[in-house]
Amino acid sequence: MLTITESEHRISHMQRRLQESGISGALFMFPIDIYYFSGTRQNAALWMPAEGVPILFVRKSLTRARAESPLVDIRPFPSGKEFPTLFSDEIITIGMTFDVIPVQQFNYYTKVLPGRKFVDISPIIREIRSVKSNAELEKLRSGAEKLCSVFSEVPQFLKAGMRELDLAAEFEYRLRKAGHEGYVRMRAFNQELAGGLAVSKGGTAHGCFDGAVTGKGLSCASPQGASLEIIPENEPILLDYAGVFGGYISDMTRIFVIGSLDTRLQEAFDVAISIQSAIQQAMIPGAIAENLYLLALQMAEKAGLDSCFMGLPGEQSKFVGHGVGLELDEFPILAKGFNMPLQAGQTIAVEPKFVIPGKGVIGIENTFIVSGHGGLKVTDIPDEIVFIKP
């Protein structure tokens, strides 16, 4: 559970940023942002003045919110008539997370709080949350260890003739038994995640998900993840899964092969490992996120693999890494145009991958912590392709 000390630290950091921006306070409605400050994921809204004590307004369950949260002021959610009386005339500018608040909700609050100016604080909260405390890093490390343990079990049950779906079901069963919470939260609009990928031939399918590999999925309504395709011998099998433990996400990918692997795919895998190594060394405070992506792209181009780097030709994702934490798509993003300097304590999943038409999908992914010594790997099992005898 969130401690009083940790909660106070997070709140004071946010309040300091509000004061620096000349914002009277922040009104949070997105559940995971509220959880970050309050330690409870109940149906609620959080009012955080730039100075003073925050108020958590709870619809349901007030009892559980009070039991879980270290916040001092936790109240029932006020009526539309009562709500404006809680805001003094000195409250002029109110911050909201425009990246996630529905228009309907925004219109409601502008109506019940007339005369105020509403501004976007999405970049502020995302930057604050990107830097993890020691307590957060410990949760992430612990979860990564459990995720790694499940990956290590794959050779026990992976067999030729299995369907992709069978492999996914077996992996996900073991992951849940290990304590995986199932909520792989994403902030980006219109992005859904099946939980992970267990794909062979289906990995080269076109898809809507903003990632290098989408998977064929089971229907047009669920066009992502494992399919009913039979896993063949002598082709790469990609397992890409996020593990969620204590709310915190670690993300990793490993490649398995039943039999032997095509030489071109092995060469592409070696390039992916080299890219990961170069990024890991460069992952120090002050490094510009975009530059790490450009470094990866240059290495792919030099190897003659740029046309299939991070996706099928013509449908490539324009990133090579993404922040992880309470959400899968946190800051920073190692992407073109993302000029944020890295900070110590940020956690990033680095995932150089190649999708080669007619051959298959290949690559690697690990979660790292930004430090003065480069990226510290927390998904700490060997990166090498695991070959299984037919």
Side-chain angles (χ1 to χ4, degrees):
M1 295 180 68
L2 182 64
T3 65
I4 294 174
T5 301
E6 182 87 0
S7 177
E8 288 177 345
H9 172 75
R10 296 176 185 183
I11 290 168
S12 64
H13 193 179
M14 186 70 210
Q15 289 181 322
R16 184 168 62 252
R17 293 293 299 271
L18 292 172
Q19 293 166 19
E20 291 170 355
S21 302
I23 300 172
S24 306
L27 186 58
F28 293 105
M29 280 155 286
F30 194 60
I32 210 63
D33 291 335
I34 295 170
Y35 171 80
Y36 177 76
F37 292 110
S38 72
T40 186
R41 194 269 177 249
Q42 296 301 300
N43 188 346
L46 176 65
W47 165 243
M48 186 184 297
E51 295 183 63
V53 178
I55 306 172
L56 185 65
F57 301 109
V58 183
R59 290 188 174 93
K60 187 176 184 292
S61 158
L62 180 63
T63 300
R64 185 162 178 176
R66 285 175 170 166
E68 293 177 342
S69 177
L71 297 186
V72 174
D73 196 343
I74 302 176
R75 312 178 187 179
F77 205 95
S79 67
K81 289 183 179 180
E82 182 186 0
F83 198 85
T85 67
L86 303 171
F87 293 78
S88 67
D89 293 338
E90 286 73 31
I91 304 298
I92 299 170
T93 306
I94 297 176
M96 284 186 168
T97 49
F98 287 1
D99 64 331
V100 289
I101 182 172
V103 173
Q104 183 184 49
Q105 289 291 305
F106 177 77
N107 288 340
Y108 171 77
Y109 285 102
T110 56
K111 181 179 179 180
V112 298
L113 295 172
R116 271 76 174 194
K117 179 182 179 183
F118 292 85
V119 297
D120 186 20
I121 57 168
S122 305
I124 295 175
I125 179 60
R126 296 194 73 183
E127 182 186 344
I128 288 173
R129 280 184 42 203
S130 76
V131 180
K132 309 303 188 286
S133 68
N134 288 335
E136 290 178 289
L137 292 177
E138 182 53 39
K139 285 185 178 181
L140 198 139
R141 286 191 185 98
S142 176
E145 185 176 344
K146 293 173 183 175
L147 178 61
C148 286
S149 71
V150 178
F151 268 92
S152 298
E153 295 174 8
V154 172
Q156 300 175 23
F157 57 83
L158 175 56
K159 301 288 187 298
M162 295 178 76
R163 301 174 303 174
E164 291 180 351
L165 184 61
D166 298 326
L167 175 59
E170 184 67 35
F171 188 94
E172 291 164 21
Y173 164 75
R174 293 170 184 249
L175 191 59
R176 287 288 280 169
K177 290 273 283 185
H180 169 62
E181 294 167 8
Y183 293 99
V184 184
R185 294 183 170 99
M186 294 191 68
R187 197 176 188 95
F189 177 71
N190 246 1
Q191 290 296 302
E192 298 175 313
L193 188 65
L197 296 167
V199 295
S200 54
K201 283 187 174 181
T204 58
H206 297 266
C208 62
F209 183 71
D210 188 17
V213 182
T214 298
K216 185 177 180 181
L218 296 173
S219 74
C220 296
S222 302
Q224 170 192 133
S227 72
L228 300 179
E229 295 275 356
I230 300 297
I231 295 173
E233 294 182 11
N234 306 320
E235 290 194 11
I237 303 155
L238 178 142
L239 272 79
D240 178 351
Y241 272 88
V244 188
F245 300 88
Y248 284 83
I249 299 170
S250 54
D251 196 8
M252 64 185 292
T253 295
R254 292 295 184 272
I255 300 294
F256 300 83
V257 179
I258 303 169
S260 60
L261 187 64
D262 180 274
T263 302
R264 188 182 178 197
L265 286 166
Q266 179 66 60
E267 291 171 351
F269 179 79
D270 294 341
V271 174
I273 292 293
S274 296
I275 291 172
Q276 176 186 250
S277 178
I279 291 176
Q280 181 180 6
Q281 293 177 36
M283 201 182 293
I284 59 175
I288 303 301
E290 178 187 50
N291 292 344
L292 273 63
Y293 168 73
L294 295 176
L295 170 64
L297 186 59
Q298 289 167 5
M299 293 179 70
E301 289 174 346
K302 185 176 180 180
L305 292 166
D306 51 303
S307 65
C308 53
F309 180 55
M310 297 305 292
L312 286 162
E315 295 187 0
Q316 294 155 283
S317 294
K318 304 300 182 183
F319 72 93
V320 72
H322 54 91
V324 291
L326 291 170
E327 295 169 311
L328 187 69
D329 52 348
E330 294 195 354
F331 282 0
I333 306 167
L334 307 186
K336 187 174 182 179
F338 199 91
N339 294 310
M340 176 184 286
L342 302 188
Q343 300 179 61
Q346 289 177 327
T347 46
I348 305 172
V350 178
E351 54 171 318
K353 294 170 183 169
F354 298 95
V355 183
I356 303 176
K359 295 287 185 179
V361 294
I362 202 83
I364 190 70
E365 181 176 19
N366 282 294
T367 299
F368 298 92
I369 301 170
V370 176
S371 81
H373 303 286
L376 304 178
K377 183 181 175 186
V378 296
T379 44
D380 199 15
I381 58 173
D383 293 340
E384 289 78 15
I385 296 172
V386 178
F387 289 91
I388 298 170
K389 292 183 179 180

